[in-house]
Amino acid sequence: MADRYDVIVAGLGTMGSASAYHLAARGRRVLGLDRFVPPHPHGSSHGDSRIIREMYFEHPLYVPLVQRAYELWRALERDAATPLMTLHGGLMIGPRDGMLVEGTLRSAEEHGLPYELLSPREVAARFPAFGLADGLVAVFDPRAGFLRPEACVRAHLALAARAGAELRFGEPALSWEPDGDGVVVRTPHGTYAADQLLLTAGAWTPELLRGLDLPLTVERQVVFWFDPPADDGRYDPERCPIYAWEHTPGYIGYGFPRLEKGVKAALMHQGEAAAHPDDVRRAVDATEVEPLRDALRQMLPGVAAAPATESMVCLFTNTPDTDFAIGFHPEHPQVLVSSPCSGHGFKFASAIGELHADLLTGETPCIDLTPFRLDRF
């Protein structure tokens, strides 16, 4: 068995890469393990863009966490000397009394965030790609925008290695067991000992929970890229903000301006469930784009009519209430379990990495984690 580590991080994607960086930056001896070579197209950390937004319609409790994430993404950009975050604002679109608009306004008003409530005519005047159907309104979030997920993961991993973290790719954590107050982790290549273990394996987390029955489900999420005419500048980032819209009561779609691959859009939480991430259907049928086209006609008719040029599958790891699950194992307090995504976690990764480091070094996190406790299920 090799020398003992302070912390082993199992999973080096969105959350694990950020955690490895923050722990190593605090002088902890870190071993990071991943079954793939991140960033990779098998989990939840790919697809060229992820939304970041301050007015969090899901619940106002997320706002302080995302505000800290903004600060840490900018710090990561400076330290890694690479652009990661672009902010041109965002539109939250839906019925005035719908879940998305009401929730967005609740977060904005509770935290004193500036916003504009726009009519369809006002939206079209400022953002001419949008043509909102009757009965819809939009809340403009001036601090919304997008992150580059692959670049974010690479930056966190590079800085983690620079700070002394040992990162082993193509080497998954297969199992772990307590070793006194510490832990021993087994991989295909050997066993490693550490004082603490952080489980951030995304969709592969359930197979590492060792007797902890968390109700996590793996969902197939499909995203598409569309190609409106190349000379149509209405979809450029400066004129077309990121957006989310309540296309059906209780169901959300989202999308981006034109980036390198085209105009990306998707529908949330309408994918197939899988018993295991290895069982997820990776091929995308040509007919799967049609429900998205139907929904886009409500507010982006030009995108709805454009050819779909590319598609991709990623994974959501969902909790029953779609809130994060973060906490120490109830029987083994040297093990921290974190499955924060449920399809909306990437934007928080910089701050969640810091939060994990706080918990594992005995510091007080910046937010109250009670709503995310593991035993709420």
Side-chain angles (χ1 to χ4, degrees), residues 133-216:
D134 291 342
L136 300 180
V137 298
V139 183
F140 182 68
D141 178 349
R143 288 240 292 161
F146 60 88
L147 295 156
R148 299 288 195 168
E150 290 91 346
C152 291
V153 172
R154 289 191 191 100
H156 272 137
L157 291 174
L159 292 182
R162 186 189 305 175
E166 181 181 340
L167 306 177
R168 293 177 174 262
F169 304 132
E171 185 173 355
L174 299 178
S175 65
W176 60 272
E177 59 185 30
D179 178 29
D181 293 335
V183 65
V184 172
V185 176
R186 182 174 62 89
T187 80
H189 304 302
T191 57
Y192 306 95
D195 294 336
Q196 296 172 305
L197 172 63
L198 171 60
L199 298 180
T200 52
W204 287 266
T205 297
E207 62 189 43
L208 292 172
L209 289 179
R210 188 181 170 84
L212 182 60
D213 186 20
L214 282 184
L216 304 178

Side-chain angles (χ1 to χ4, degrees), residues 76-318:
L76 184 64
E77 284 184 321
R78 292 192 300 270
D79 293 342
T82 187
L84 302 173
M85 183 168 64
T86 301
L87 304 179
H88 289 301
L91 294 172
M92 305 298 115
I93 300 166
R96 176 61 182 82
D97 60 352
M99 173 183 72
L100 177 58
V101 170
E102 284 288 318
T104 299
L105 293 174
R106 177 188 175 193
S107 278
E109 290 165 359
E110 185 166 318
H111 290 278
L113 306 177
Y115 68 89
E116 296 176 74
L117 184 61
L118 305 176
S119 68
R121 180 177 298 179
E122 291 170 322
V123 170
R126 288 176 58 176
F127 310 109
F130 289 85
L132 272 60
D134 291 342
L136 300 180
V137 298
V139 183
F140 182 68
D141 178 349
R143 288 240 292 161
F146 60 88
L147 295 156
R148 299 288 195 168
E150 290 91 346
C152 291
V153 172
R154 289 191 191 100
H156 272 137
L157 291 174
L159 292 182
R162 186 189 305 175
E166 181 181 340
L167 306 177
R168 293 177 174 262
F169 304 132
E171 185 173 355
L174 299 178
S175 65
W176 60 272
E177 59 185 30
D179 178 29
D181 293 335
V183 65
V184 172
V185 176
R186 182 174 62 89
T187 80
H189 304 302
T191 57
Y192 306 95
D195 294 336
Q196 296 172 305
L197 172 63
L198 171 60
L199 298 180
T200 52
W204 287 266
T205 297
E207 62 189 43
L208 292 172
L209 289 179
R210 188 181 170 84
L212 182 60
D213 186 20
L214 282 184
L216 304 178
T217 59
V218 178
E219 181 184 0
R220 176 179 179 267
Q221 170 74 0
V222 182
V223 298
F224 293 90
W225 284 264
F226 297 86
D227 189 24
D231 59 354
D232 191 340
R234 294 179 300 166
Y235 303 100
D236 294 344
E238 297 79 9
R239 303 183 68 195
C240 181
I242 63 93
Y243 54 91
W245 84 104
E246 190 171 358
H247 57 90
T248 304
Y251 289 93
I252 306 297
Y254 63 94
F256 300 80
R258 189 199 302 275
L259 301 176
E260 292 81 2
K261 290 186 176 184
V263 179
K264 176 182 168 184
L267 302 177
M268 287 280 289
H269 294 305
Q270 293 188 242
E272 305 163 1
H276 189 276
D278 295 343
D279 300 330
V280 171
R281 180 167 60 93
R282 294 287 177 170
V284 179
D285 187 274
T287 62
E288 292 185 74
V289 73
E290 295 309 317
L292 177 57
R293 288 193 191 279
D294 289 342
L296 283 166
R297 291 188 183 100
Q298 301 176 24
M299 34 74 72
L300 270 176
V303 176
T309 55
E310 190 170 340
S311 61
M312 182 177 289
V313 170
C314 66
L315 305 182
F316 288 172
T317 307
N318 299 323

Side-chain angles (χ1 to χ4, degrees), residues 53-63 92 99-100 102-104 106-107 244 252 268-269 321-324 341-345 347-348:
R53 50 193 166 86
E54 186 173 28
M55 298 177 195
Y56 221 67
F57 80 86
E58 289 87 342
H59 199 283
L61 69 88
Y62 285 96
V63 173
M92 305 298 115
M99 173 183 72
L100 177 58
E102 284 288 318
T104 299
R106 177 188 175 193
S107 278
I252 306 297
M268 287 280 289
H269 294 305
D321 56 14
T322 73
D323 286 324
F324 301 166
C341 292
S342 291
H344 67 111
K347 63 185 73 63
F348 298 96

